[in-house]
């Protein structure tokens, strides 16, 4: 530890202090000098750190030092009392206080051991915990337990034996299995390639910090339920339900020996976006030649009747949407060329409840800065037989689907889609709930809606009839190939330059070896084109959400 660094700012020191305060509250809660004892204990910790640089078993060391400092205080207290009372002719004073000291120390140690034992029992796997609790805490006989659990008597005996071994091991290690997951759990964003299950699986499976940190804890190597519980500081009794849910949902797997492992790919936020500077440099270099090729095709299509009826902002958003689509297709072409693509529906495995997906978790560090290109999408909703389809990107160009849950009624994405179509003059769709129209001011702030000359709420995003939108599909496919001829070599170079270490128990682990290599490219390229002033319409960054709507006129089905 360097001498110029403020030692008390070290996060480990804060953890040590929290642990000490907890121990003091449990073991010596009535001690009037505890603040002074804690200060002396922490001083001893700091001296040890300065001397050795680290402490191998910090909790055991802290408990030992705290006990010694407390004993020192007791001895001083009792010596003073003995001296005072001996002066008054009562020489039996020291013996009486020594007995009191021994009794208090013994009681505190018993309480400490009982607390550790309770924790260790809670960390046992269910098969061992059942018999230990029934036998030792409820006083049931071996035969009674065997009958209640419908297992052979010998099985009860072997589980009692194994359970006792595990308890001894846990007590010996004195809870030193705890990892960072027990005191600084990580949050995690979640995304998939593919389509959700009927209950929004797998998103609904990762709804708590416990879910996220189980996946993080078992990512590097398979662990037993007891080891996961130890690492997270949570009793197995409470953890087993989470393990069952994640395993049945196919985010966790289980070995034949009962160990759990993470099946989805997990990465840190900074890894998700790759080498940002390298991608920005490529985007700047490619901006002009790419846009020249793109505009040669799109300029004529922008003269179609429905497009000419739009505002400049809507036309600019339409160009951003199709530019996004073309660049995403170029990334898929890169993966195809390099033989690693699995981004097509037929490649996704069938999951429980009708889902077909691969999942990625992104660890959100508490003090990490939000990346420039942090975003999501497209989120897609609707079908032609429902009368509309909407593509919604959350990006630096403007807030979109991430903002909806924060509105007054927290509408889901499906309800928002129908509501927006209801504002198309010939859309033929009504909102699911009239209260959504109360949210119009909030959609105006997001620059998704605006007021026309008569004060009526209208779309501020592009909307094309289904027929008009279909006319764009063939030119865009051909345009992707021409754009890739220009950008492909640079994209392949960026892709190859990145190699991730992925555990082989992750589903389709080979797919993630280069994950993140082009994580910033699409937005970086769009931004480079906008900043170079190449688009024919003005774009205000942060106020041009990339949302596109296709609809069948008058809500016709088919």
């Amino acid at each position: 530890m360097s001498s110029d660094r403020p030692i008390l700012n070290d996060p480990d020191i804060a953890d040590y202090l929290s642990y000490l305060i907890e121990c003091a509250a449990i073991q010596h809660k009535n001690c009037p000098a505890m603040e002074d004892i804690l200060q002396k204990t922490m001083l001893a910790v700091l001296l040890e750190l300065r001397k050795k640089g680290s402490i191998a078993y910090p909790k055991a060391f802290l408990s030992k030092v705290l006990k010694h400092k407390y004993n020192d205080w007791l001895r001083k207290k009792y010596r003073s009392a003995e001296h005072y009372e001996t002066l008054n002719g009562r020489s039996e004073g020291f013996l009486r206080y020594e007995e009191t000291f021994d009794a208090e120390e013994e009681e505190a140690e018993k309480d400490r051991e009982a607390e550790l034992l309770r924790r260790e029992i809670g960390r046992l796997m269910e098969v061992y915990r059942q018999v230990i609790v029934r036998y030792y805490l409820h006083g049931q006989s071996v035969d009674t337990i065997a009958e209640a659990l419908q297992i052979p008597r010998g099985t009860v005996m072997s589980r009692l034996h194994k359970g006792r071994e595990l308890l001894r091991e846990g007590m010996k290690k004195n809870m030193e299995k705890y990892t960072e997951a027990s005191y600084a759990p990580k949050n995690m964003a979640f995304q998939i390639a593919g389509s959700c299950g009927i209950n929004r699986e797998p998103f609904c499976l990762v709804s708590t910090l416990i879910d996220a940190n189980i996946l993080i804890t078992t990512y590097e190597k398979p662990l037993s339920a007891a080891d996961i519980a130890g690492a997270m500081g949570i009793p197995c009794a409470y953890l087993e339900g989470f393990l069952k849910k994640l395993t049945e949902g196919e985010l966790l797997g289980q070995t034949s020996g009962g160990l759990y492992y993470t099946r989805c790919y997990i990465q840190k936020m900074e890894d998700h976006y790759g080498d940002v500077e390298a991608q920005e440099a490529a985007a700047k270099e490619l901006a002009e030649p790419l846009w020249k090729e793109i505009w040669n095709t799109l300029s004529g299509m922008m003269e179609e009747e429905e497009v000419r009826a739009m505002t400049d902002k809507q036309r600019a958003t339409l160009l951003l949407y199709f530019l996004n689509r073309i660049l995403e297709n170029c990334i898929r072409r890169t993966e195809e060329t390099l033989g690693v693509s699995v981004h097509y529906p037929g490649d996704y495995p069938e999951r429980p409840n009708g889902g077909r997906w691969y999942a990625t978790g992104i660890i959100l560090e508490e003090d990490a800065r939000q990346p420039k290109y942090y975003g999501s999408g497209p989120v897609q909703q609707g079908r032609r037989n429902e009368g509309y389809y909407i593509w919604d990107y959350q990006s630096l160009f403007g807030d979109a689907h991430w903002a909806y849950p924060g509105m007054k009624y927290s509408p889901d994405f499906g309800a928002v889609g129908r509501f927006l179509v209801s504002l198309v003059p010939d859309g033929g769709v009504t909102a699911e709930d009239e209260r959504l129209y109360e949210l119009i001011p909030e959609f105006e702030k997001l620059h998704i809606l605006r007021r026309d000359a008569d004060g009526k709420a209208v779309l501020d995003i592009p909307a094309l009839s289904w027929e008009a939108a279909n006319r764009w599909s063939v030119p865009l496919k051909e345009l992707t190939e021409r754009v890739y001829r220009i950008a492909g070599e640079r994209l392949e170079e960026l892709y190859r330059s990145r190699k991730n270490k992925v555990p082989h128990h992750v589903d389709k682990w080979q797919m993630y070896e280069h994950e993140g290599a082009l994580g910033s490219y699409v937005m970086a390229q769009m931004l480079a084109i906008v900043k170079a002033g190449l688009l024919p319409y003005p774009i205000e960054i942060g106020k041009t959400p990339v949302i596109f709507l296709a609809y069948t006129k008058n809500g016709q089905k088919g």
Side-chain angles (χ1 to χ4, degrees), residues 191 267 269-276 279-280 331 335 371-376 491 494-495 498 514-525:
Q191 64 181 34
Q267 60 184 171
M269 175 65 76
E270 58 266 28
D271 297 330
H272 182 62
Y273 292 92
D275 187 338
V276 177
Q279 293 171 79
E280 286 178 331
I331 290 179
E335 294 169 340
K372 182 193 300 185
Y373 303 113
Y374 196 33
S376 167
L491 296 183
L494 287 168
Y495 200 84
R498 182 179 187 83
H514 303 278
E515 179 71 16
L518 298 173
S520 301
Y521 172 69
V522 172
M523 280 296 125
Q525 188 65 79

Side-chain angles (χ1 to χ4, degrees), residues 96-355:
R96 181 165 55 84
Y97 280 110
E98 185 66 35
E99 290 170 350
T100 303
F101 167 76
D102 289 341
E104 185 171 345
E105 278 292 290
E106 184 178 354
E107 190 64 30
E109 189 61 29
K110 285 181 180 178
D111 289 344
R112 173 66 172 164
E113 290 178 357
E115 177 66 20
L116 288 174
L117 182 59
R118 283 193 293 270
R119 291 185 186 182
E120 290 301 326
I121 291 174
R123 291 174 57 204
L124 287 175
M125 292 176 64
E126 185 178 15
V127 291
Y128 304 120
R129 190 175 65 250
Q130 281 179 327
V131 295
I132 290 288
V133 170
R134 286 174 179 270
Y135 187 82
Y136 288 104
L137 301 185
H138 297 168
Q140 295 179 1
S141 68
V142 171
D143 291 332
T144 300
I145 297 171
E147 183 179 352
L149 299 180
Q150 296 186 346
I151 56 177
R153 188 177 192 278
T155 302
V156 176
M157 296 293 289
S158 65
R159 289 181 182 178
L160 281 172
H161 177 71
K162 180 63 175 177
R164 285 192 292 265
E165 284 186 349
L166 291 171
L167 287 175
R168 277 195 295 269
E169 180 184 347
M171 292 289 285
K172 184 178 179 180
K173 292 182 178 179
N174 199 21
M175 303 296 285
E176 286 305 320
K177 287 185 179 180
Y178 281 11
T179 69
E180 190 178 16
S182 69
Y183 58 83
K186 304 293 186 190
N187 213 329
M188 190 164 68
F190 213 65
Q191 64 181 34
I192 66 168
S195 56
C196 298
I198 196 169
N199 297 314
R200 293 196 74 250
E201 291 89 355
F203 293 100
C204 66
L205 303 176
V206 188
S207 56
T208 69
L209 281 176
I210 293 176
D211 298 313
N213 284 272
I214 288 174
L215 295 176
I216 294 170
T217 300
T218 57
Y219 184 67
E220 295 293 340
K221 65 177 182 179
L223 296 173
S224 68
D227 285 335
I228 300 168
M232 295 180 64
I234 298 175
C236 267
Y238 292 97
L239 202 63
E240 283 158 358
F242 293 94
L243 295 173
K244 184 174 185 290
K245 174 186 69 171
L246 293 171
T247 303
E248 291 178 348
E250 299 189 357
L251 288 177
L252 278 183
Q254 197 169 13
T255 68
S256 57
L259 303 182
Y260 293 91
Y261 58 88
T262 301
R263 294 179 59 176
C264 60
Y265 177 59
I266 296 178
Q267 60 184 171
K268 294 181 179 179
M269 175 65 76
E270 58 266 28
D271 297 330
H272 182 62
Y273 292 92
D275 187 338
V276 177
E277 290 183 1
Q279 293 171 79
E280 286 178 331
K284 186 175 181 180
E285 175 188 326
L286 294 168
E288 193 164 341
L290 286 189
W291 182 250
K292 182 179 179 180
E293 185 66 47
I294 291 169
W295 187 240
N296 283 341
T297 297
L298 298 189
S299 57
M301 303 183 70
M302 297 297 287
E303 295 302 316
E304 290 191 357
E305 181 180 355
E306 288 186 30
V307 179
R308 283 191 287 107
M310 295 179 183
T311 65
D312 280 355
K313 177 180 178 293
Q314 288 173 309
R315 285 192 284 265
T317 305
L318 185 66
L319 286 175
L320 287 178
Y321 166 73
F322 285 118
L323 178 57
N324 204 328
R325 287 277 302 275
I326 292 166
L327 295 171
E328 286 176 338
N329 288 339
C330 283
I331 290 179
R332 292 191 180 96
R333 283 284 284 109
T334 302
E335 294 169 340
E336 287 176 352
T337 301
L338 298 176
V340 294
S341 177
V342 291
H343 287 287
Y344 294 95
D347 297 315
Y348 302 132
E350 291 187 13
R351 304 289 189 175
N353 289 336

Side-chain angles (χ1 to χ4, degrees), residues 2-74:
S2 59
S3 59
D4 59 344
R5 181 181 177 186
I7 296 174
L8 289 177
N9 286 347
D10 191 312
D12 289 338
I13 299 298
D15 294 333
Y16 294 166
L17 184 57
S18 297
Y19 177 76
L20 274 177
I21 292 172
E22 179 185 353
C23 289
I26 294 172
Q27 300 175 33
H28 313 300
K29 58 185 177 181
N30 296 321
C31 176
M34 186 46 60
E35 183 175 346
D36 182 57
I37 293 171
L38 284 173
Q39 289 177 355
K40 291 179 179 179
T41 303
M42 285 305 298
L43 179 60
V45 172
L46 296 177
L47 291 173
E48 183 75 1
L49 285 172
R50 284 188 179 279
K51 180 180 177 182
K52 297 184 177 179
S54 64
I55 298 174
Y57 300 97
K59 291 183 180 178
F61 178 83
L62 290 171
S63 299
K64 183 177 180 180
V65 174
L66 178 65
K67 181 177 179 179
H68 286 171
K69 297 300 178 184
Y70 178 71
N71 289 349
D72 288 344
W73 172 77
L74 283 175

Side-chain angles (χ1 to χ4, degrees), residues 266-523:
I266 296 178
Q267 60 184 171
K268 294 181 179 179
M269 175 65 76
E270 58 266 28
D271 297 330
H272 182 62
Y273 292 92
D275 187 338
V276 177
E277 290 183 1
Q279 293 171 79
E280 286 178 331
K284 186 175 181 180
E285 175 188 326
L286 294 168
E288 193 164 341
L290 286 189
W291 182 250
K292 182 179 179 180
E293 185 66 47
I294 291 169
W295 187 240
N296 283 341
T297 297
L298 298 189
S299 57
M301 303 183 70
M302 297 297 287
E303 295 302 316
E304 290 191 357
E305 181 180 355
E306 288 186 30
V307 179
R308 283 191 287 107
M310 295 179 183
T311 65
D312 280 355
K313 177 180 178 293
Q314 288 173 309
R315 285 192 284 265
T317 305
L318 185 66
L319 286 175
L320 287 178
Y321 166 73
F322 285 118
L323 178 57
N324 204 328
R325 287 277 302 275
I326 292 166
L327 295 171
E328 286 176 338
N329 288 339
C330 283
I331 290 179
R332 292 191 180 96
R333 283 284 284 109
T334 302
E335 294 169 340
E336 287 176 352
T337 301
L338 298 176
V340 294
S341 177
V342 291
H343 287 287
Y344 294 95
D347 297 315
Y348 302 132
E350 291 187 13
R351 304 289 189 175
N353 289 336
R356 295 179 69 94
W357 47 263
Y358 285 109
T360 298
I362 304 169
I363 297 173
L364 305 176
E365 300 287 352
E366 188 174 343
D367 55 351
R369 293 171 56 189
Q370 182 169 300
K372 182 193 300 185
Y373 303 113
Y374 196 33
S376 167
V379 175
Q380 305 172 44
Q381 196 266 332
R383 295 289 185 274
R384 185 174 180 181
N385 61 7
E386 296 175 4
Y388 69 95
Y389 211 110
I390 185 170
W391 293 263
D392 181 307
Y393 290 87
Q394 174 74 34
S395 72
L396 59 86
F397 288 99
D399 285 330
H401 57 265
W402 281 355
Y404 307 153
M407 292 180 168
K408 181 179 179 181
Y409 295 127
S410 301
D412 64 32
F413 187 71
V416 170
R418 288 189 63 86
F419 164 67
L420 294 178
V421 182
S422 75
L423 298 175
V424 177
D426 54 357
V429 172
T430 57
E432 294 177 348
D433 193 314
E434 290 292 320
R435 287 174 293 184
L436 287 169
Y437 293 101
E438 298 176 29
L439 303 180
I440 287 174
E442 295 188 65
F443 282 102
E444 286 183 83
K445 291 179 181 178
L446 294 175
H447 308 281
I448 295 172
L449 299 181
R450 62 181 176 84
R451 299 283 180 174
D452 64 12
D454 298 324
K456 181 182 177 182
V458 295
L459 292 179
D460 203 18
I461 57 173
L464 290 177
S465 67
W466 201 271
E467 292 73 21
N470 277 339
R471 286 196 294 272
W472 290 69
S473 60
V474 174
L476 286 174
K477 186 175 181 180
E478 295 173 349
L479 185 53
T480 296
E481 291 302 314
R482 295 200 299 274
V483 168
Y484 189 72
R485 291 191 197 109
I486 299 171
E489 187 175 339
R490 285 301 303 275
L491 296 183
E492 291 170 24
E493 179 186 332
L494 287 168
Y495 200 84
R496 288 194 190 95
S497 67
R498 182 179 187 83
K499 190 71 176 289
N500 300 315
K501 184 180 178 182
V502 187
H504 288 195
H505 54 249
V506 169
D507 288 353
K508 203 77 173 182
W509 63 269
Q510 302 93 332
M511 177 172 105
Y512 300 105
E513 285 191 293
H514 303 278
E515 179 71 16
L518 298 173
S520 301
Y521 172 69
V522 172
M523 280 296 125

